[in-house]
Amino acid sequence: MNGDTPWALYESRLRRVSAYIHDHLDEELDMERLAQIACLSSYHWHRIYRAIYGETLAATVKRLRLHRAAGEIVRTELAVSEIAKRSGYPNLQSFNRIFKLAYGMPPARYRKEGSHTAFQPSPYGKTKAMFDVTIREIAPTELIGVAHTGSYMEIGKAFETLFGTLYARSLARPDMRMIGVYLDDPDIVPAEQLRSIACVTGSADLPAEAPFERRTIEGGDYAVLRHKGPYADMYKAYQWLYAEWLPKSGRQLKDSVMFEEYLNNPRDVPPTELMTNIHMPLA
């Protein structure tokens, strides 16, 4: 770690607090407790955290809990009341109100009518809408990233470490693109064993000491699906790419990894406005 950078002193503290938040979303996350984990006074730590991440600790906790709740609403049959309880809300009414503000509709309605339903087949076996897919030739791209093992819905933990460390080492640049590389098939590999890497674009001369690792995106043709909406919905987009688009495309898959490029930041826009390019490698 470069001890001469302004935020270097806080690198390990940022990592420690971020990991604690992600690992204890089911628990009461008292702001004083998080400051203690950082070994700083609450007064100073909250200001340091906001200066580096661009949002308050409380906003981070709220965003992560709603992100997880959206995934559980879409992918499980858990009762909304149970999801609300797991998300730290004292009653269903308050959860409904906060969720609607973020996702545009109450959770029960979101389960039935959310943006993920656009990818579900109609009674005639086709999806309800067409999607923006283009074939693009991608040049080989150098990446620097932080590895993650576990549910793809939880890769945000690795992105927190990635950006916190980049800023702590004064390596962050405004032209870095945010990339998620996914190495396993979630329909085959158990969620706790899924491997992914939270990355940004970076030249080969960018320092890559731990926790960073280097990765290269292979050049070649990719089918690129533009997805608008919550990250919790995107597994449906993958299913549509494989089941409907690929058989009709006349193309074959290349033995390479898929990746996602995130075109805006979940700290800056509501989940309904998130834009992601999903890249499928083609032979």
Side-chain angles (χ1 to χ4, degrees):
M1 183 176 70
N2 184 351
D4 296 328
T5 61
W7 299 110
L9 174 65
Y10 305 114
E11 178 180 330
S12 63
R13 304 181 191 205
L14 287 165
R15 202 176 304 165
R16 201 159 60 231
V17 170
S18 178
Y20 188 89
I21 291 172
H22 282 82
D23 293 342
H24 294 82
L25 284 175
D26 284 346
E27 302 174 14
E28 182 69 28
L29 286 169
D30 179 80
M31 298 301 111
E32 293 293 335
R33 171 61 181 150
L34 295 177
Q36 290 173 7
I37 292 168
C39 299
L40 279 173
S41 73
S42 176
Y43 178 86
H44 289 299
W45 177 246
H46 292 168
R47 286 160 177 78
I48 290 166
Y49 185 93
R50 185 167 190 169
I52 291 176
Y53 285 120
E55 69 180 356
T56 64
L57 277 162
T60 295
V61 171
K62 175 183 174 183
R63 176 172 55 80
L64 292 176
R65 282 176 168 166
L66 287 175
H67 168 69
R68 186 182 67 176
E72 291 175 340
I73 288 166
V74 170
R75 302 182 187 209
T76 77
E77 296 181 357
L78 280 174
V80 173
S81 57
E82 179 62 23
I83 295 172
K85 183 179 179 181
R86 278 169 47 79
S87 302
Y89 288 89
N91 55 66
L92 184 57
Q93 290 73 23
S94 60
F95 177 66
N96 285 345
R97 177 173 54 82
I98 297 299
F99 190 93
K100 182 179 179 180
L101 285 173
Y103 285 81
M105 60 183 72
R109 182 181 166 199
Y110 182 78
R111 175 170 272 169
K112 296 178 180 179
E113 303 176 20
S115 49
H116 60 284
T117 61
F119 293 95
Q120 294 175 353
S122 72
Y124 303 101
K126 306 298 181 183
T127 55
K128 301 174 184 176
M130 295 299 294
F131 301 98
D132 180 11
V133 179
T134 57
I135 307 296
R136 299 183 193 174
E137 184 177 359
I138 305 294
T141 305
E142 297 293 328
L143 305 174
I144 187 170
V146 172
H148 171 71
T149 301
S151 169
Y152 288 159
M153 281 288 289
E154 298 171 4
I155 194 176
K157 182 178 181 180
F159 273 112
E160 299 278 349
T161 297
L162 172 66
F163 283 103
T165 307
L166 286 170
Y167 279 102
R169 299 180 186 180
S170 291
L171 298 175
R173 300 289 182 268
D175 61 343
M176 285 175 164
R177 294 153 53 204
M178 188 164 61
I179 306 287
V181 178
Y182 298 91
L183 306 178
D184 296 308
D185 183 344
D187 290 331
I188 299 174
V189 178
E192 65 275 10
Q193 297 176 20
L194 291 170
R195 298 168 300 149
S196 55
I197 310 173
C199 302
V200 292
T201 52
S203 60
D205 59 354
L206 192 69
E209 290 85 6
F212 294 148
E213 61 179 65
R214 296 194 188 281
R215 188 91 192 177
T216 301
I217 291 174
E218 291 187 26
D221 285 352
Y222 286 80
V224 183
L225 185 151
R226 172 68 58 87
H227 179 274
K228 180 181 180 182
Y231 297 146
D233 297 354
M234 287 203 294
Y235 82 106
K236 291 285 190 180
Y238 278 83
Q239 291 175 348
W240 179 85
L241 268 173
Y242 278 100
E244 293 202 30
W245 183 85
L246 185 62
K248 298 175 182 176
S249 70
R251 301 295 296 262
Q252 294 184 348
L253 287 174
K254 182 180 180 181
D255 187 16
S256 185
V257 297
M258 297 188 72
F259 69 92
E260 298 170 1
E261 179 173 2
Y262 309 103
L263 306 181
N264 50 15
N265 193 320
R267 299 181 188 276
D268 301 330
V269 301
T272 52
E273 296 301 317
L274 289 169
M275 301 294 292
T276 307
N277 280 344
I278 300 172
H279 292 71
M280 171 186 278
L282 300 174

